[in-house]
Structures are given as structure tokens and as C-alpha cells.
């Protein structure tokens, strides 16, 4: 088992939502003591394509840089090597589970996980540990109720305001999700 906690953010083309989420999460985790790696992929990725221009511009307005991003396809190796998959839609959860049925226990929509993880207080683990983060994921999976999962709106092809609203949604959900994984500050 890896000593690093690996989070994979997943959307459709991997040029908008998951790409922005990866950059936002990286910025939030920049000074974390938790050894964590973030990545992103798409279920129908536009392989090798850069981040959508409005997505990159939205991040730039937040002081973040998405210019290095290149889209990649979700595959079995990425699913298996991740400790937590955070998707933008319920359909993306299904794709990950179809690639590896065991992934169902570690794959959630981002808003779903943010809500479930917020209620999982694993005090038996020190904050900022990989063991604690993995226990939070397991607890969230055990408490999932399988109702229609909350999703993140796809602004692709829309006006810049849609990307800004999406970035805000991503930031809020990631703040809750990552805060739960890291533990009390």
C-alpha cells in the first residue's frame, strides 16, 4: 500500500471540471503535511488537449495556473492506483466501477463525498495521516445511502460566468472534502 494518498478527479473530457478541480485541490493541499497526490482524468477524454480556455481564464483570475494541464483518459491503472476518486457526475462513478468493481467503495461524486466526509470524525487517527484519510473514505462508503448523487454542473460551451460558478462549487466542495481528509487544524 502506498505511503501517499492519491486523489483522482474525474469528469467527461478532462478539460474543464476535473482539470479545474485538480488545480484547485493542488493549491489547497500545497502546505499540507498529508503526503497526497492529485490527478485528473476523463471518461471520454480529449486526450492531450489543454484545459478549456474559459476554465484556464477562470483559474487565472483566482491566481491559479492551469496552462500545464493535458487531458487523459480514465483507465484501470488510474482507478486501481487511486485511494479516492471524486467525480463530477453519477455516470462517471459508474464508469469507474465498470473498470474495477472494487472501485465502488472509493468512488463518489465530489459533492456527495464532501457531505459524507464532513460527518466522519475519525479521532483514532492523527490528523494529516494517510491512514486517517483512508478511514474517512471507508466511513463515507459505509454511510452512503445510494440516493441520486449530487453533481457538479458542466459549464463547457457556456459563458465565462458558468465557469466561475463551477469553480466556486468546486472550491466549496473541495474545501469540505479535503478538510475532512486532513482532520482538525
Amino acid at each position: 500500500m502506498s505511503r501517499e494518498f492519491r486523489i483522482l478527479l474525474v469528469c467527461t473530457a478532462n478539460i474543464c471540471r476535473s482539470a479545474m478541480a485538480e488545480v484547485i485541490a493542488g493549491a489547497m493541499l500545497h502546505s499540507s503535511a498529508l503526503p497526497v497526490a492529485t490527478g485528473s482524468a476523463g471518461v471520454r477524454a480529449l486526450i492531450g488537449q489543454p484545459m478549456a480556455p474559459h476554465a484556464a481564464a477562470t483559474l487565472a483570475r483566482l491566481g491559479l495556473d492551469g496552462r500545464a494541464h493535458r487531458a487523459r483518459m480514465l483507465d484501470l491503472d488510474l482507478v486501481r492506483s487511486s485511494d479516492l476518486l471524486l467525480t463530477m457526475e453519477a455516470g462517471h462513478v459508474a464508469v469507474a466501477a465498470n473498470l474495477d468493481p472494487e472501485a465502488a467503495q472509493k468512488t463518489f461524486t465530489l459533492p456527495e463525498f464532501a457531505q459524507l466526509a464532513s460527518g466522519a470524525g475519525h479521532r483514532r487517527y492523527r490528523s494529516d495521516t494517510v491512514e486517517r484519510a483512508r478511514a474517512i473514505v471507508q466511513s463515507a462508503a459505509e454511510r452512503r445511502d445510494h440516493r441520486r448523487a449530487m453533481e457538479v454542473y458542466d459549464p463547457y460551451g457556456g459563458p465565462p460566468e458558468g465557469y466561475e460558478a463551477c469553480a466556486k462549487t468546486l472550491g466549496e466542495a473541495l474545501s469540505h472534502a479535503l478538510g475532512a481528509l486532513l482532520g482538525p487544524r
Side-chain angles (χ1 to χ4, degrees):
M1 206 174 259
S2 172
R3 294 177 158 254
E4 178 178 69
F5 189 80
R6 295 179 180 179
I7 301 171
L8 186 67
L9 297 136
V10 179
C11 72
T12 304
N14 191 218
I15 60 169
C16 186
R17 294 173 290 175
S18 62
M20 288 195 301
E22 179 184 6
V23 173
I24 293 168
M28 289 179 170
L29 292 165
H30 176 65
S31 61
S32 168
L34 177 68
V36 63
T38 59
S40 65
V43 299
R44 290 192 311 266
L46 299 176
I47 299 169
Q49 292 296 309
M51 191 178 294
H54 286 316
T58 296
L59 290 179
R61 283 190 291 280
L62 296 172
L64 302 173
D65 187 355
R67 292 177 296 179
H69 175 79
R70 293 295 175 267
R72 65 181 173 167
M73 185 70 74
L74 181 68
D75 63 24
L76 182 60
D77 288 337
L78 285 173
V79 171
R80 286 189 174 160
S81 67
S82 298
D83 293 292
L84 174 62
L85 288 90
L86 297 174
T87 73
M88 303 301 129
E89 299 175 14
H92 304 146
V93 173
V95 171
N98 284 337
L99 285 169
D100 180 7
E102 292 180 21
Q105 296 301 307
K106 61 181 181 178
T107 306
F108 307 83
T109 67
L110 173 57
E112 173 191 27
F113 184 76
Q115 184 177 53
L116 289 169
S118 293
H122 275 276
R123 302 201 190 287
R124 67 180 184 205
Y125 297 99
R126 269 190 19 246
S127 295
D128 291 340
T129 65
V130 171
E131 293 79 17
R132 181 184 199 287
R134 288 184 177 135
I136 295 291
V137 172
Q138 180 179 352
S139 175
E142 291 167 358
R143 291 181 299 107
R144 175 187 276 159
D145 65 12
H146 294 287
R147 288 182 285 186
R148 177 121 173 96
M150 298 171 283
E151 298 182 340
V152 177
Y153 165 77
D154 188 356
Y156 187 73
E161 297 80 23
Y163 290 81
E164 291 169 14
C166 182
K168 182 178 182 198
T169 298
L170 292 170
E172 289 170 357
L174 285 166
S175 178
H176 290 290
L178 299 176
L181 291 173
L182 296 174
R185 310 308 287 143

